Amino acid sequence: MDGFKESGLMKVGSYSSMAELDDLDLSRLLDKPKLNIERQRSFDERSMSELSINVRALENYDSMCSPRGFRSGFDTPASSARNSFEPHPMVSEAWEALRKSLVYFRGQPVGTIAANDHGSEEVLNYDQVFVRDFVPSALAFLMNGEPEIVKNFLLKTLYLQGWEKKVDRFKLGEGVMPASFKVLHDPGRKIDTLIADFGESAIGRVAPVDSGFWWIILLRAYTKSTGDLSLAETPECQKGMRLILALCLSEGFDTFPTLLCADGCSMIDRRMGIYGYPIEIQALFFMALRCALSMLKHDAEGKEFVERIVKRLHALSYHMRSYFWLDFQQLNDIYRYKTEEYSHTAVNKFNVIPDSIPDWVFDFMPNRGGYFIGNVSPARMDFRWFALGNFVAILSSLSTPEQSMAIMDLLEERWEELVGEMPLKITYPAIENHEWRIVTGCDPKNTRWSYHNGGSWPVLLWLLTAACIKTGRPQIARRAIEHAENRLLKDGWPEYYDGKLGRYIGKQARKFQTWSIAGYLVAKMMLEDPSHLGMISLEEDKAMKPLIKRSASWTC
Ligand code: GLC
């Protein structure tokens, strides 16, 4: 047994709060003086080395996660008065638009609507509060010292989780969290009611696997940001977490620690060939497990989950770091793979046929850099780049520090392809022609370089920025934000952009898409005050470390 397992399991048995277990002790932080982040000059004036020193200092310093009141100071227009830092004029516009997207339930704000696009004829479900879409809104509010709405949202979705969920005559797992919900106002009877969608109304009828993970991640962000441990410690939140975990930690026919998923079960919620073991879900799964580990009580019910999480994290990190990782060396190794290897001595464990490696990846792969590929399953490696999964891998420390650096190197080396004129490609490259027909089922919304198929999504800016700060490379984020500032407001905060360089407003993109607005605000606030990173980032767990050679991983 390795060190990680032991260190994790040893704690089982005694009650330990989130503060004790987590990488940084929250309770101690409550009375710690705040790190004084210099605000005299904007980050644009500071050198990169200064900032990376700052970030490193922050990482070693508990104040990174210190509970904050109104720290960031990006309040609706007046913020500049509190800081010498002069915010971009877009910032106040963004706050105004974000506040217009608020959704109220019986007088209390409980979330933000997906898009506030009055010009659009087709509302579809963009008038709902999506769990995944609310995450950047929630972070913006937390960073601005407004945690109430986040708490309301967490409680409201927790309540919805308790509903019986059915598609036709088939009952879904108890722990499933909704993809979205809507508040119905009855002005006559003065009553607000909720309706929720767990996938039973969604196009394609797929349940959102990511919702539960985002919920756990957000609960930790709330706890980190406010220092309020009491919410996560309520029996309701503890049960909610256990129900989500029960869905993904059960044993069955699986031979891999990754989570088997249907196409369309996450941000990419249409058929895009991500079925199997998509990186987005694996990275969120890993992050949610780590967040849950820090919040679960070690009581009679929680203890068993803690043990299962520790074991799963160990296996999952090994699997991901070994088999999903691709760099020049690894690509060359796969290119030279032998096939049909039987037994535990096999190097090519999944029997990937080298002829199935697409041509583009040979040119795309720089000498410096690497990334987690989209999917790995028997005889199938999806070599596409997916931004969200890679950034969440950095934030959760699923990637080793070396791998995190390599992902950032890749971004720099392949800027045009991955960032282009409007940050940020959701996936690269697009699939076209015959492949598009087979993979998407001829989906007219997902034509090449559009929407989920190589479109550019401004919401991803916050994840990029967080990853940049974590890896000490804020200049990358700054460059991307500058691109966004040239267009986003002028274009009316579109949901996505089309084209190889992301130059065109998406064919069917909604305007005033809330997560485009919130994503921008979060990116700006994090750059201004990198200590915000703590609420959405987890430090490396040293005990999870060393990578054994692939042929040595087999055990009876
Ligand atoms: C689209 C996106 C999905 C998002 C929803 C609401 O369906 O694919 O990720 O949650 O719109 O914005």
Side-chain angles (χ1 to χ4, degrees):
M1 190 183 276
D2 55 275
F4 171 64
K5 220 182 223 172
E6 279 172 0
S7 65
L9 288 178
M10 284 211 328
K11 295 203 174 99
V12 179
S14 61
Y15 170 82
S16 84
S17 70
M18 175 187 181
E20 284 170 64
L21 254 185
D22 211 338
D23 45 339
L24 296 163
D25 188 327
L26 266 177
S27 56
R28 278 189 294 122
L29 296 173
L30 287 165
D31 39 43
K32 245 200 191 130
K34 284 177 194 159
L35 185 76
N36 189 13
I37 295 171
E38 196 201 343
R39 289 173 187 276
Q40 299 311 308
R41 290 174 291 155
S42 79
F43 272 103
D44 290 320
E45 292 168 75
R46 285 182 223 173
S47 73
M48 139 74 186
S49 55
E50 266 183 280
L51 182 54
S52 44
I53 290 164
N54 269 347
V55 171
R56 244 170 271 131
L58 284 164
E59 283 185 348
N60 296 329
Y61 202 87
D62 292 355
S63 70
M64 178 166 174
C65 308
S66 66
R68 64 207 79 216
F70 293 79
R71 287 190 62 192
S72 177
F74 267 139
D75 204 352
T76 321
S79 70
S80 54
R82 285 208 294 270
N83 301 308
S84 55
F85 176 81
E86 194 60 57
H88 193 281
M90 252 168 81
V91 167
S92 54
E93 298 263 358
W95 271 112
E96 206 175 301
L98 181 62
R99 294 198 192 282
K100 278 195 188 142
S101 73
L102 284 171
V103 170
Y104 292 84
F105 179 78
R106 300 184 185 160
Q108 288 197 317
V110 289
T112 48
I113 196 174
N116 216 345
D117 186 357
H118 300 298
S120 168
E121 332 78 67
E122 261 191 322
V123 178
L124 293 175
N125 50 0
Y126 283 87
D127 61 347
Q128 306 215 359
V129 180
F130 278 75
V131 171
R132 72 176 72 89
D133 292 43
F134 183 66
V135 173
S137 299
L139 295 177
F141 288 120
L142 288 175
M143 289 175 188
N144 202 41
E146 299 175 71
E148 270 316 295
I149 179 176
V150 182
K151 186 175 181 178
N152 295 341
F153 169 87
L154 286 166
L155 289 171
K156 215 35 89 200
T157 41
L158 187 62
Y159 160 78
L160 293 172
Q161 185 197 37
W163 284 11
E164 181 170 287
K165 302 160 273 256
K166 267 188 177 172
V167 177
D168 294 333
R169 296 173 189 182
F170 189 63
K171 200 165 154 269
L172 274 71
E174 235 190 302
V176 177
M177 278 280 179
S180 61
F181 66 86
K182 187 175 172 162
V183 179
L184 299 173
H185 302 284
D186 182 338
R189 289 164 59 214
K190 292 210 171 67
I191 288 184
D192 286 349
T193 42
L194 288 170
I195 52 162
D197 177 16
F198 297 86
E200 77 276 24
S201 309
I203 295 167
R205 300 289 184 271
V206 183
V209 178
D210 62 340
S211 283
F213 297 152
W214 280 124
W215 187 87
I216 292 175
I217 293 166
L218 196 54
L219 180 61
R220 175 182 171 275
Y222 169 87
T223 311
K224 278 279 189 188
S225 158
T226 58
D228 170 18
L229 299 170
S230 65
L231 179 66
E233 286 180 351
T234 56
E236 292 77 15
C237 281
Q238 292 284 316
K239 184 177 175 204
M241 275 192 278
R242 287 196 308 267
L243 286 176
I244 296 167
L245 294 167
L247 289 174
C248 45
L249 291 175
S250 59
E251 291 173 358
F253 288 101
D254 300 311
T255 47
F256 310 139
T258 35
L259 204 61
L260 185 60
C261 301
D263 224 342
C265 65
S266 61
M267 176 185 182
I268 297 179
D269 56 3
R270 297 165 77 91
R271 187 172 147 190
M272 265 297 291
I274 60 153
Y275 64 90
Y277 304 90
I279 180 65
E280 169 168 350
I281 292 298
Q282 312 314 321
L284 285 172
F285 180 31
F286 182 86
M287 183 150 187
L289 287 182
R290 288 200 67 196
C291 291
L293 192 59
S294 70
M295 295 185 290
L296 275 176
K297 286 188 180 177
H298 293 208
D299 53 14
E301 290 153 309
K303 202 177 129 184
E304 184 207 329
F305 281 95
V306 170
E307 288 173 7
R308 282 157 78 186
I309 290 175
V310 172
K311 287 184 186 150
R312 191 62 171 257
L313 279 173
H314 177 64
L316 186 59
S317 60
Y318 176 80
H319 185 95
M320 297 300 297
R321 291 170 182 181
S322 313
Y323 306 125
F324 275 64
W325 183 252
L326 193 77
D327 55 17
F328 184 79
Q329 181 61 48
Q330 185 71 7
L331 179 58
N332 210 155
D333 290 349
I334 299 169
Y335 174 66
R336 288 166 52 80
Y337 265 172
K338 292 187 186 57
T339 56
E340 314 298 325
E341 294 174 302
Y342 182 71
S343 165
H344 61 270
T345 51
V347 176
N348 181 4
K349 286 185 183 165
F350 309 116
N351 200 34
V352 174
I353 318 287
D355 267 356
S356 70
I357 307 174
D359 288 342
W360 65 264
V361 78
F362 292 105
D363 297 330
F364 176 72
M365 182 59 75
N367 291 332
R368 208 174 62 105
Y371 64 106
F372 288 106
I373 62 170
N375 224 302
V376 176
S377 61
R380 177 178 176 243
M381 290 177 96
D382 180 348
F383 289 91
R384 280 176 294 174
W385 150 269
F386 289 87
L388 194 154
N390 276 279
F391 294 141
V392 172
I394 293 177
L395 294 178
S396 62
S397 294
L398 169 60
S399 45
T400 63
E402 297 76 25
Q403 287 174 332
S404 300
M405 285 302 177
I407 294 171
M408 301 315 289
D409 288 341
L410 178 89
L411 263 178
E412 283 190 315
E413 298 277 331
R414 294 289 175 258
W415 185 265
E416 200 162 274
E417 290 88 342
L418 304 180
V419 184
E421 288 188 23
M422 180 49 76
L424 210 62
K425 285 268 166 38
I426 190 169
T427 173
Y428 180 90
I431 41 181
E432 347 186 7
N433 306 321
H434 183 60
E435 199 184 6
W436 165 78
R437 264 180 230 112
I438 303 294
V439 172
T440 71
C442 302
D443 187 348
K445 205 167 174 184
N446 273 332
T447 50
R448 61 181 185 160
W449 307 115
S450 181
Y451 202 44
H452 300 141
N453 186 9
S456 298
W457 291 65
V459 59
L460 298 171
L461 208 52
W462 80 264
L463 282 159
L464 167 76
T465 305
C468 287
I469 294 173
K470 183 154 182 185
T471 50
R473 289 152 90 162
Q475 79 283 7
I476 299 184
R478 227 177 279 136
R479 199 173 151 199
I481 290 172
E482 259 168 42
H483 281 299
E485 283 176 341
N486 290 335
R487 298 276 306 266
L488 265 187
L489 176 65
K490 194 163 65 125
D491 294 343
W493 309 100
E495 180 187 16
Y496 64 95
Y497 286 77
D498 284 357
K500 253 187 172 169
L501 288 172
R503 286 175 67 203
Y504 298 92
I505 299 174
K507 212 182 338 177
Q508 294 188 45
R510 293 291 178 290
K511 297 283 185 79
F512 290 91
Q513 181 79 21
T514 303
W515 67 0
S516 299
I517 299 164
Y520 168 72
L521 283 174
V522 172
K524 290 292 273 190
M525 284 191 276
M526 273 192 299
L527 262 192
E528 192 221 356
D529 179 355
S531 73
H532 286 311
L533 179 68
M535 66 171 95
I536 200 68
S537 166
L538 292 146
E539 287 313 295
E540 192 197 3
D541 188 328
K542 296 270 178 343
M544 244 187 283
K545 253 200 156 167
L547 262 184
I548 328 164
K549 273 207 181 134
R550 31 190 61 221
S551 52
S553 68
W554 187 83
T555 47
C556 299

